[in-house]
Amino acid sequence: MICLFLSIFANIFQTGWTGVNERTFLAVKPDGVQRKLVGEIVQRFERKGFKLVGLKLMQASEELLREHYSELRSKPFFSGLIAYMSSGPVVAMVWQGLDVVKTARKMLGETNPADSLPGTIRGDYCVEVGRNVIHGSDSVASAQREISLWFRQNELLCWEDNCSHWIYN
Ligand code: DAT
Ligand code: MG
């Protein structure tokens, strides 16, 4: 009930979730799905201590992807990016936890896998910027925008994590 109220409040007033309730949008891209990296990627965020609150395998439409990447529409790689992202299923996810937006970006690595350290997802599993296996929101504001673009309210679950006392003190 409290979660429902908070989520409606966060949506209406665009406040976003804060503290341990911060949320980010992550998506395993078509190359990550084809290369069977979904389980590995989900496991990294689970083991870190973040909470999965939404997940779906979906074929993203070009319309959705153009909106998702609208800031990049003038870039020369834009049409290739849309073709790549719509070339097969993606796994769209919402993860929750303290500083999850910033920490998830660190766990992803840099945009270009060549600049990504070993130990990061892009550092460990890919080679080229045009096939960098995962998307992650770059700010709390982007996360809010992307979550509402990719998920309906009733696809995001509030559930009690019985481990939370072992993750937060
Ligand atoms: P990020 O995904 O790290 O947030 P971004 O938002 O700048 O990076 O770009 C979105 C995606 O576009 C990125 O994951 C891969 C693709 N991309 C970025 N720069 C590119 C480039 N120079 N050539 C080809 N694809 C690129
Ligand atoms: Mg980005």
Side-chain angles (χ1 to χ4, degrees), residues 126-141:
C126 50
V127 177
E128 272 203 324
V129 68
R131 295 288 184 272
N132 62 1
V133 305
I134 183 164
H135 167 82
S137 307
D138 63 7
S139 67
V140 171

Side-chain angles (χ1 to χ4, degrees), residues 16 42 45 52 61 83 102 107 110 132 155:
V42 168
F45 292 95
L52 181 63
S61 67
K102 197 171 80 184
M107 291 168 69
E110 302 301 318
N132 62 1
E155 292 176 317

